[in-house]
Amino acid sequence: MVLGLVLAGPAQAAGPAYVALGDSYSSGNGAGNYDSSSGDCHRSFSAYPYLWKNAHAPSSFADTSCSGAVTTDVTNSQLGPLNTATGLVS
């Protein structure tokens, strides 16, 4: 009879709920590798919000950044995902 032992590492807690806001820099415009669902916002999977998300496993992630956004775009259309559970905003 052979007994197998599976060792599991310590459980990792999910990181904070993360919301990414901003303009072309935040969205990764120019970085290529765009999320096709982001349309003219040109959100790139190579932008720092996605890189951080992939490295830290937040409990939730929303990216509302958009190429060409100005302050009124942020205040009028990017704040929707923010709530009391949000622990990190960039």
Side-chain angles (χ1 to χ4, degrees):
M1 174 191 295
V2 177
L3 296 176
L5 177 61
V6 177
L7 298 176
Q12 292 184 341
Y18 175 32
V19 178
L21 312 171
D23 61 6
S24 305
Y25 185 82
S26 300
S27 70
N29 190 35
N33 194 24
Y34 299 114
D35 178 354
S36 62
S37 70
S38 72
D40 291 337
C41 286
H42 299 135
R43 287 185 206 109
S44 172
F45 293 115
S46 300
Y48 73 86
Y50 282 93
L51 297 176
W52 192 94
K53 173 190 74 91
N54 293 337
H56 298 281
S59 59
S60 66
F61 174 70
D63 183 1
T64 59
S65 63
C66 191
S67 177
V70 295
T71 302
T72 55
D73 296 319
V74 173
T75 58
N76 292 337
S77 63
Q78 292 188 14
L79 303 180
L82 295 174
N83 60 53
T84 58
T86 304
L88 176 65
V89 178
S90 66

